[in-house]
Amino acid sequence: MTLLTTSPAEISANVGLDADTLKMMLQAIKDFVTHAMSDERQLELDHEDVCPVDIVRGMSSEQLGIHLVFIPEECSGMGGGTIDVYRVCEQMGRLDLGLATSVLATFLGSDPIYMGATPDQKRMWLTEIAEQGLIYAYGATEPEAGSDLGAIKTTATPVVEDGKITGYRLNGRKQWISNGGIADKYTILAMAPGGPTWFVMDRNSEGFTPAKPEDKHGIRLSNTAALFLDDVFVPAENLIGLVEGQGLVQAQKVFGYTRLMVASFGLGGGWSALDRAIPYSESRIAAGAPLSTKQGYTHKLIVPHVIRLEAARSYIEYTARRIDAGEGEDGALNTEGAIAKYMATEAGNTAAEAAIQAHGGYGYTREYLVEKIKRDVRITTIYEGTSEIMEMTIARDRWQQNLKSSGHYYPEIAAELRALHARQPDVGAEAAALACQALGIALEACRAGRLTRNQHVLFRLGELIAYAECAGSFATRAAAALDKALPDKSDQRFDPAALAAMSRVFAREAAHKVAYDGLRWVIGAGTGTDMTPFEASLGLDAVNAAQVGLIADMDSVADALYGRA
Ligand SMILES: Cc1cc2nc3c(=O)[nH]c(=O)nc-3n(C[C@H](O)[C@H](O)[C@H](O)COP(=O)(O)OP(=O)(O)OC[C@H]3O[C@@H](n4cnc5c(N)ncnc54)[C@H](O)[C@@H]3O)c2cc1C
């Protein structure tokens, strides 16, 4: 069984592209997009609210072939693994999140096929995407059903001829559908007599009308449109899996994977904003010296955001590797996908916000692009499950695991982290252990006091869980880097010493957050009885003591970022 502290090299995930092919693909994506679209053109398209359909199609043609990464080899694709998909999505997120969304939408659209179709359907539809570069759209959301997909109202009424179902008539409306106005095919979730069911629908089906594109806050290069379905006929063989009522299960099965894709967008978007702020701060002189030399600037606007993004990356890599090792079957890693998405998209969003501030007045104008990136990355905390739904998913699942283990779940992870610390004392594993220890105690206090009857407490626990687990995965990644055991396809931007310093800073933050926020919510939701024993058990002294060296570590992260000795 994979533990949070299992070294990445020991998670057998030898699937997908080889490291050189992945590297070439990442470079080809960058070359293709930057050649097809200068910064000026990107700003123009954003301003005019235009989806560059030619570029979207070009990406999934022989010009680039990005779509092949997502399709299995037996269906004429390249059979990329989850690690490959994360790296590709991060790269797309760095270049333009609108274009990235278009690519994502095709693979969200085909995911119900991947997960739920019969082998023949799968071969037919996925091969068609591989060979023809078809654009798909994923039609789940409705005006009154987003987070709660069980509330969909679109209906699928069987058409019966000679006692046999020959097809279905779809009626309803879908809302906020990426690629909605430009797709060749659509996967539509509709309520059949047997329950929610996915259908593949052709663009030119009679009775189908896409609405005009939405006028959005960001990702304005992505086409988002409502879909009107007015008695649209789909043949019975277009029911994915040929059995009604499997739709929500099929949608659930892929969340671990699809949420990693959006997590990678958050990572890419956040990094692309910081990668503009970092050089800007080296050239901008204030009070006689570059901003990059000013601790009050770097330690607020750059360093913590780099660290949170890299903490999230650690969790993305950990989850992707486990999915590639076959642990993600039937939605088994949906909670991990939720943690990755939550941490990476929240970090990406705050990083982009900080990058505007880091550019001062220039950041507030369009020219420096960080303003656009900030608007673009904002969507990542909303689509594919909002941050609040992620908090709920994380908290509910881990709550159950904690109950099942009679409260031992996090104390056991804390013990693993202490063992890691004993072997590798420089990666923040001890502080990460303090976070997990305090988390276990807070969960137990919530159980004893029945405090999760307050939804807010439950959701805040979701956040604390995500921080504690990310701290554990970061310490594990930093230890692997020090051991020279990071797999080839992992991101290699930082050297082991820089990663270790980042991990130490993040682990301190996690320990402090879990202990002090945990204390606050338990006391805040409690009945006012004496909380001294609970407070004493949280290990606040140790958490405080762990903060020693924080500023020095932030200094060394800044030095690594700015290439200072
Ligand atoms: C640009 C864009 C592209 C999109 N692309 C697609 C697509 O391609 N295909 C598709 O099917 N959908 C797509 N969506 C829809 C997207 O996934 C939904 O908007 C999202 O899941 C949220 O649903 P909602 O908008 O109905 O908000 P709601 O579910 O109404 O949520 C509103 C707020 O309430 C909170 N909330 C919801 N439920 C609860 C609860 N039980 N407890 C506490 N708080 C709660 C949410 O976190 C949020 O803050 C897209 C949306 C946008 C904006």
Side-chain angles (χ1 to χ4, degrees):
M1 195 183 80
T2 307
L3 304 174
L4 198 56
T5 53
T6 302
S7 174
E10 285 166 31
I11 307 175
S12 155
N14 238 347
V15 297
L17 311 183
D18 62 61
D20 287 339
T21 309
L22 174 63
K23 207 167 156 191
M24 276 186 323
M25 177 53 87
L26 296 178
Q27 187 60 44
I29 293 170
K30 186 172 176 190
D31 293 345
F32 179 86
V33 176
T34 48
H35 181 258
M37 192 172 65
S38 62
D39 280 3
E40 292 70 34
R41 177 88 183 116
Q42 205 176 359
L43 283 170
E44 204 175 280
L45 291 166
D46 171 67
H47 188 253
E48 303 301 321
D49 200 7
V50 171
C51 167
V53 184
D54 53 333
I55 302 181
V56 172
R57 290 209 178 269
M59 287 192 301
S60 291
S61 71
E62 68 279 5
Q63 292 174 47
L64 179 62
I66 192 172
H67 62 309
L68 299 176
V69 175
F70 298 78
I71 300 175
E73 280 174 302
E74 61 272 23
C75 299
S76 306
M78 290 167 77
T82 317
I83 288 276
D84 304 311
V85 165
Y86 126 66
R87 298 293 307 271
V88 163
C89 285
E90 181 193 357
Q91 182 73 309
M92 283 305 305
R94 276 175 189 272
L95 294 162
D96 183 86
L97 273 161
L99 288 180
T101 298
S102 227
V103 176
L104 169 83
T106 286
F107 293 99
L108 279 182
S110 61
D111 272 334
I113 297 174
Y114 193 68
M115 283 297 152
T118 64
D120 284 348
Q121 286 180 324
K122 209 181 282 188
R123 206 168 311 109
M124 177 178 72
W125 284 320
L126 296 183
T127 306
E128 196 181 50
I129 298 176
E131 292 179 352
Q132 299 174 33
L134 294 188
I135 297 177
Y136 263 66
Y138 175 81
T141 305
E142 297 186 359
E144 289 165 53
S147 304
D148 179 13
L149 280 182
I152 57 163
K153 291 188 177 147
T154 297
T155 53
T157 311
V159 176
V160 180
E161 283 171 24
D162 299 331
K164 194 171 162 258
I165 297 179
T166 55
Y168 291 81
R169 294 263 171 213
L170 305 185
N171 280 288
R173 177 178 170 168
K174 294 290 170 183
Q175 185 76 11
W176 319 122
I177 305 305
S178 303
N179 291 345
I182 64 167
D184 303 303
K185 291 202 173 180
Y186 299 77
T187 37
I188 300 288
L189 186 64
M191 197 59 88
T197 304
W198 286 102
F199 296 90
V200 174
M201 181 190 82
D202 247 52
R203 177 185 181 80
N204 46 23
S205 304
E206 205 175 313
F208 167 62
T209 326
K212 71 178 178 47
E214 302 287 349
D215 183 2
K216 304 191 295 293
H217 175 65
I219 57 165
R220 289 163 69 86
L221 276 69
S222 163
N223 173 284
T224 314
L227 313 177
F228 298 99
L229 307 161
D230 185 11
D231 239 11
V232 177
F233 179 78
V234 286
E237 58 269 24
N238 284 22
L239 187 164
I240 296 178
L242 301 178
V243 179
E244 290 177 10
Q246 303 300 305
L248 293 186
V249 180
Q250 289 161 354
Q252 281 286 338
K253 273 187 187 172
V254 289
F255 275 149
Y257 180 77
T258 56
R259 286 178 175 158
L260 271 194
M261 288 159 83
V262 180
S264 311
F265 287 176
L267 191 61
W271 258 119
S272 93
L274 292 177
D275 274 335
R276 288 170 191 274
I278 291 168
Y280 177 82
S281 65
E282 289 176 297
S283 61
R284 177 76 176 172
I285 307 296
L291 288 170
S292 57
T293 61
K294 316 226 177 242
Q295 211 192 37
Y297 175 96
T298 54
H299 289 26
K300 178 181 177 193
L301 301 176
I302 309 286
V303 169
H305 303 288
V306 164
I307 292 172
R308 287 191 203 119
L309 284 170
E310 288 306 305
R313 181 195 300 285
S314 308
Y315 208 85
I316 292 174
E317 291 195 353
Y318 159 73
T319 307
R321 231 166 264 296
R322 289 182 63 188
I323 293 177
D324 281 346
E327 290 184 44
E329 293 289 306
D330 288 344
L333 294 178
N334 283 355
T335 311
E336 284 73 8
I339 292 176
K341 179 183 190 282
Y342 179 65
M343 293 301 284
T345 61
E346 289 290 332
N349 198 40
T350 49
E353 176 72 25
I356 292 182
Q357 189 74 9
H359 281 79
Y362 294 103
Y364 200 61
T365 64
R366 292 166 37 77
E367 188 187 342
Y368 283 73
L369 260 107
V370 285
E371 178 269 348
K372 171 182 173 293
I373 296 169
K374 172 66 185 75
R375 282 186 289 107
D376 286 352
V377 77
R378 188 69 188 76
I379 189 59
T380 61
T381 66
I382 297 175
Y383 65 16
E384 235 356 58
T386 64
S387 281
E388 295 70 41
I389 297 300
M390 297 303 99
E391 288 169 351
M392 177 162 68
T393 304
I394 297 162
R396 276 188 181 166
D397 179 79
R398 293 299 195 247
W399 182 259
Q400 287 304 325
Q401 279 182 285
N402 190 56
L403 285 184
K404 258 193 260 164
S405 68
S406 309
H408 293 305
Y409 189 76
Y410 285 104
E412 279 171 10
I413 296 179
E416 276 174 48
L417 285 162
R418 280 193 293 270
L420 177 65
H421 175 75
R423 193 177 67 69
Q424 195 58 270
D426 292 331
V427 293
E430 194 173 31
L434 291 173
C436 291
Q437 197 68 43
L439 182 58
I441 290 162
L443 285 169
E444 182 53 22
C446 288
R447 188 198 59 76
R450 303 180 67 206
L451 304 184
T452 51
R453 283 177 300 178
N454 299 285
Q455 196 196 36
H456 186 56
V457 172
L458 183 74
F459 282 30
R460 301 296 19 97
L461 286 175
E463 181 188 24
L464 302 187
I465 290 166
Y467 265 81
E469 292 200 22
C470 257
S473 70
F474 204 174
T476 304
R477 171 172 164 227
L482 284 171
D483 293 340
K484 298 194 175 18
L486 269 188
D488 284 352
K489 291 201 282 184
S490 301
D491 182 82
Q492 311 276 348
R493 176 171 178 159
F494 295 104
D495 68 26
L499 270 188
M502 287 185 205
S503 178
R504 291 194 297 270
V505 174
F506 187 77
R508 290 184 183 102
E509 180 180 359
H512 193 273
K513 186 172 186 61
V514 173
Y516 283 93
D517 285 9
L519 179 67
R520 181 165 178 237
W521 297 122
V522 168
I523 292 178
T527 53
T529 48
D530 180 17
M531 296 305 286
T532 321
F534 165 65
E535 190 173 340
S537 65
L538 276 170
L540 298 180
D541 288 350
V543 169
N544 293 340
Q547 307 304 317
V548 172
L550 173 60
I551 293 286
D553 274 340
M554 292 179 83
D555 289 343
S556 58
V557 174
D559 288 346
L561 283 171
Y562 288 103
R564 301 187 289 236

